[in-house]
Amino acid sequence: MTAQPLPAAARPVSVHAADPTDTPRRPGFLRAPFSAVTYREIGFALSSLPLAIAGFVLTVTLFSVGTGLLPTVTGLPLLALLTIVARGLGAFELHRVRVLLGTPLAAPEPVRPTRRGVWGGITARLADGAGWRAALHQVLMFPWAVLTFTVTLTFLVTGWVVALYPLYHWVFARYTDWPGYQLYDYTNGSGHHRYYVTSPAQIAALSAVGLLLVLLTPVLVRGLTAVQRAAARGLLAAR
């Protein structure tokens, strides 16, 4: 008697499930400002603000109007609509986390009404824990999105503008009344004080400060987006 090979469908298959903590390989400190991974994270940070504004406005509006109309028939459908909208926003956020931050997170199970009819669907939506967590995500992450956008844009622009100052230093003396970049200009009891960056040593020092900001920007953005990644894992992903 000879052993028969197992049919293809019955053979054990090794499956590697995506680890939700997986992240792209991080570039070194000196290479990070020029890495595609860094600029995907920057894109995530900058695009979070308009999405957060839209999500916050929709969530607060639907919740406020829905709870205000609870004594009437229309309150419950509006709250059910809130969970639907929040789930959609949450699904898009999970997509952004997967594509831009390289962190695959599984979406929660879809809502399955246990009763037929319109009210069966409404009550199922009202009992949807994932939908309410997604709505909470829109509210809690709104101020963080504002902070992330502001800090990321400030460091990104300031770092490169200051680091590249030696390339456009000549513009000030040629096209303005300033001999160089003006660091400050104020008046007090002892007179009028101005400081311009003009000498080669001053230009080099200013450029070095800008280069330091350029190198620190990826680290800062990584920390800011790590909070958003954790929020998506805790409030939006499947449990």
Side-chain angles (χ1 to χ4, degrees), residues 156-173:
L156 180 66
V157 174
T158 303
W160 282 110
V161 167
V162 175
L164 298 176
Y165 176 67
L167 298 180
Y168 61 89
H169 165 71
W170 58 274
V171 172
F172 292 94

Side-chain angles (χ1 to χ4, degrees), residues 20 44 90 92-98 101 103 105-108 133-134 137 141 225-239:
F44 182 92
F92 186 65
E93 183 70 5
L94 289 176
H95 175 73
R96 293 197 323 123
V97 169
R98 180 172 64 254
L101 300 185
T103 303
L105 297 174
R133 288 194 300 271
H137 179 275
M141 294 310 295
T225 55
V227 174
Q228 293 172 290
R229 184 186 290 112
R233 181 179 294 115
L235 293 174
L236 300 178
R239 291 181 173 243

Side-chain angles (χ1 to χ4, degrees), residues 11-181:
R11 294 173 188 169
V13 179
S14 175
V15 178
H16 173 68
D19 185 353
T21 61
D22 285 346
T23 55
R25 179 174 296 178
R26 298 295 182 187
F29 182 70
L30 296 178
R31 293 193 304 109
F34 313 98
S35 168
V37 173
T38 296
Y39 283 93
R40 283 196 295 268
E41 290 181 339
I42 290 174
F44 182 92
L46 297 181
S47 61
S48 292
L49 181 58
L51 295 173
I53 293 174
F56 181 83
V57 171
L58 286 171
T59 300
V60 172
T61 301
L62 287 173
F63 182 79
S64 301
V65 177
T67 53
L69 293 176
L70 276 178
T72 70
V73 180
T74 56
L76 293 179
L78 283 176
L79 292 178
L81 178 62
L82 167 60
T83 63
I84 297 173
V85 172
R87 262 187 175 260
L89 294 171
F92 186 65
E93 183 70 5
L94 289 176
H95 175 73
R96 293 197 323 123
V97 169
R98 180 172 64 254
V99 173
L100 297 178
L101 300 185
T103 303
L105 297 174
E109 291 293 325
V111 177
R112 294 185 175 88
T114 57
R115 293 186 300 172
R116 295 181 180 180
V118 175
W119 284 106
I122 290 176
T123 55
R125 293 291 181 179
L126 292 173
D128 179 21
W132 288 110
R133 288 194 300 271
L136 181 63
H137 179 275
Q138 299 302 322
V139 175
L140 294 181
M141 294 310 295
F142 172 67
W144 189 258
V146 175
L147 175 67
T148 299
F149 178 90
T150 303
V151 173
T152 299
L153 188 63
T154 300
F155 270 74
L156 180 66
V157 174
T158 303
W160 282 110
V161 167
V162 175
L164 298 176
Y165 176 67
L167 298 180
Y168 61 89
H169 165 71
W170 58 274
V171 172
F172 292 94
R174 183 168 182 178
Y175 294 104
T176 71
D177 296 332
W178 296 356
Y181 181 76

